[in-house]
Amino acid sequence: MAKSITSALRIALIYVAFAALWILFSDLAVESLFRDPAIRSQAQTYKGLCFVLITGVMLFLLVLRNNRIIAEAHDLDPLTGLYNITLFKRRLDRLLKALQPDERLVMGYLDIDKFSEINQQIGFEKADALLIDIAMHIEHLAIRGSVVARLQADQFASARRLDASFNLEEHVNDFQKLVRVRAEKFGLKVTSCIGVAIYPDDGKTSKELMQAATESLRRAKLAGNQVQYHDKSLAEMASQQRQLVADLKDALRKESISVVYQPKYRLNTLQPCGVEVLARWNHPTRGAISPGVFIPVAEEHDLCNEVSGLVFTKAARELEASGLLGKPLKHVSLNISATEFNSEAKMLTLVTYLKRFPTFMPHVRIEITETATLTDMKKSAEIISRLHAEGVTFSVDDFGTGYTSLSMLKDLTVDEIKIDRSFVADIHQDTRSSTIIQAIIAMAKSFNISVVAEGVETAEQMHTLKEMGCEEIQGYYLGKPMPIADLVTHLTQTENTSSAANVEAGAQR
Ligand code: C2E
Ligand code: CA
Ligand code: CA
């Protein structure tokens, strides 16, 4: 009730503010523009019509937005604030839609054992407090981009993308441990069961997956304090993983990992100012395998330095030959894995690769994720400053997704941060995401660090980011990752379009 009064009040205030501004300035405008009284009176009529039209559209949009916020609030679990089953299904659909063709998803249902006995033992109020506490910690355990929900009384759900390096068993154990430890704080000995389902093995739609997880949970409950997987998933996963490692080693030997380039644009001119190099693997039988799948495999099997070696060398050769370095491409961003950043020997190897390309090296910007810097902040700062001396700059990728985003900026002198695309995707749907983006931009500016928004897919997102003061963007809307030949054409075309626009603008001035 209070919420709907506040939002109605907000709509009324926006309306009153707009009307007041209109009354103040529109008469002034009409009077200064038109001298003839007959035209003036006609202008007054049109002015009135415009007012009705604009406020009509404004009210329509505000009410629409408001209804959406209220509808979403309805779908939150009132006790824990987590999603309820309706919203969980909707978000699961969205996660499934966002998956690349070869990506998988894992979801689990967790059910606390003998919860009715706990209710009797400690009373409803304390049992509710326990559920709230568990919900809060489950939310912390889940990484950004995953979905967590409370389905019913003592049942929680979680879904996330399944990276090849993700240790499913460990993750599932963490959930069970969490319930055990939180309950101990309440003086209780509590166990739980988990039912797991994997996309696409156990189901292709959210409905099928939810049925599979329910079925796994039922079997886990029958066995008591257990984790159950859908039968098909595990054996298949293990054998696929082994084959993938062998194939990746083969691809590295044959140098068949290639690279593509995704431009980064300045928002005020829409001119490309850099590119990010992204690895591509065209598997002989499975077709394209996303780096989101094979990079974690490379990390787990100590192959990432070899992948970087190949990627850096190919990019350096192609870009040096293209003549694009310097202008328009000030920076070339290279991704490295956390395991590389955390190993002195591996970083040294990377520097050796780079030093072979002296005209390429000064443009290199290394993208690291904040988890990479976590292990040893002092050592991270040292590595960064040593490479700064060689002209290499640093960017923090997927910024905002970890817990340390802010504190790492205190200790490390990075040159750029990239706002994670999950915030950009939600910029118009979730006010929390847009607030986080604004805060990141403000903070980056005060630290004098460049800020890039990733994953910009629409004109609306681009305009909103511009209004927020973001300087650079990257995303499918302006440029998808492309091979070198297409990059050369794309950059030439963009430059021509912009010089033509400048000439035209100059002629009009
Ligand atoms: P990333 O560094 O965050 O790279 C951005 C990813 O988002 C790329 O996926 C890119 O194709 C995709 N992307 C760009 N614009 C949009 C957009 O507008 N919408 C959407 N939905 N996606 C967009 P990609 O190429 O599949 O790479 C996935 C991840 O794999 C990268 O995420 C990076 O972490 C890793 N990766 C890629 N190449 C390398 C590499 O050479 N070395 C290492 N260590 N990691 C790499
Ligand atoms: Ca990146
Ligand atoms: Ca990123």
Side-chain angles (χ1 to χ4, degrees), residues 260-266 270-276 278 280 418 421 452-459 462 473-483 486-487 489-491 493-494:
V260 287
Y261 304 87
Q262 186 177 31
K264 187 173 82 166
Y265 305 80
R266 287 207 61 80
L270 294 189
Q271 279 298 294
C273 53
V275 277
E276 175 173 4
L278 295 160
R280 290 290 176 264
K418 296 182 88 169
R421 70 179 143 109
V452 186
E454 288 190 304
V456 179
E457 291 184 352
T458 64
M462 183 177 81
I473 58 165
Q474 197 181 6
Y476 294 168
Y477 180 62
L478 288 180
K480 289 193 171 177
M482 54 191 102
D486 295 356
L487 180 75
T489 321
H490 177 75
L491 295 191
Q493 271 169 1
T494 325

Side-chain angles (χ1 to χ4, degrees), residues 456-469:
V456 179
E457 291 184 352
T458 64
E460 290 77 32
Q461 289 170 348
M462 183 177 81
H463 292 134
T464 308
L465 285 160
K466 192 171 181 189
E467 275 165 22
M468 288 178 173

Side-chain angles (χ1 to χ4, degrees), residues 249-429:
K249 285 183 181 163
D250 193 45
L252 285 167
R253 251 192 321 271
K254 292 180 178 151
E255 300 198 352
S256 53
I257 305 269
S258 59
V259 289
V260 287
Y261 304 87
Q262 186 177 31
K264 187 173 82 166
Y265 305 80
R266 287 207 61 80
L267 248 178
N268 55 356
T269 56
L270 294 189
Q271 279 298 294
C273 53
V275 277
E276 175 173 4
V277 179
L278 295 160
R280 290 290 176 264
W281 179 17
N282 200 2
H283 188 279
T285 55
R286 288 176 57 182
I289 297 185
S290 133
V293 172
F294 72 81
I295 294 288
V297 175
E299 282 169 0
E300 208 185 356
H301 294 85
D302 203 19
L303 296 169
C304 52
N305 225 197
E306 284 181 57
V307 174
S308 295
L310 192 54
V311 167
F312 287 17
T313 310
K314 286 202 172 177
R317 283 197 187 126
E318 290 183 356
L319 286 169
E320 277 189 347
S322 75
L324 296 169
L325 288 175
K327 199 171 176 301
L329 300 181
K330 198 157 173 249
H331 298 124
V332 178
S333 302
L334 300 171
N335 291 286
I336 65 165
S337 300
T339 42
E340 291 175 289
F341 189 72
N342 286 320
S343 145
E344 206 152 349
K346 288 195 167 78
M347 283 310 278
L348 266 177
T349 316
L350 292 186
V351 174
T352 328
Y353 290 135
L354 291 176
K355 281 194 167 158
R356 284 193 212 137
F357 303 95
T359 46
F360 176 68
M361 187 158 170
H363 301 286
V364 167
R365 174 159 282 182
I366 290 185
E367 293 196 2
I368 42 173
T369 52
E370 62 195 270
T371 39
T373 63
L374 273 181
T375 334
D376 186 345
M377 219 35 120
K378 209 167 141 230
K379 210 173 102 205
S380 302
E382 260 173 46
I383 295 175
I384 291 179
S385 86
R386 224 182 307 154
L387 278 167
H388 266 158
E390 310 259 6
V392 173
T393 53
F394 281 85
S395 173
V396 187
D397 209 351
D398 309 337
F399 192 82
T401 52
Y403 290 113
T404 55
S405 302
L406 288 178
S407 61
M408 68 168 293
L409 292 184
K410 181 171 73 70
D411 301 309
L412 302 180
T413 43
V414 291
D415 307 271
E416 176 190 273
I417 52 186
K418 296 182 88 169
I419 302 174
D420 189 63
R421 70 179 143 109
S422 58
F423 297 109
V424 176
D426 279 349
I427 199 166
H428 294 121
Q429 274 90 42

Side-chain angles (χ1 to χ4, degrees), residues 22 30 54 102 117 157 183 187 217 221 243 258 282 294 349 368 372 381 386 430:
W22 182 277
V30 169
I54 294 174
D102 51 2
E117 283 176 26
L217 181 64
K221 292 230 86 153
Q243 188 56 48
S258 59
N282 200 2
F294 72 81
T349 316
I368 42 173
R386 224 182 307 154
D430 178 359

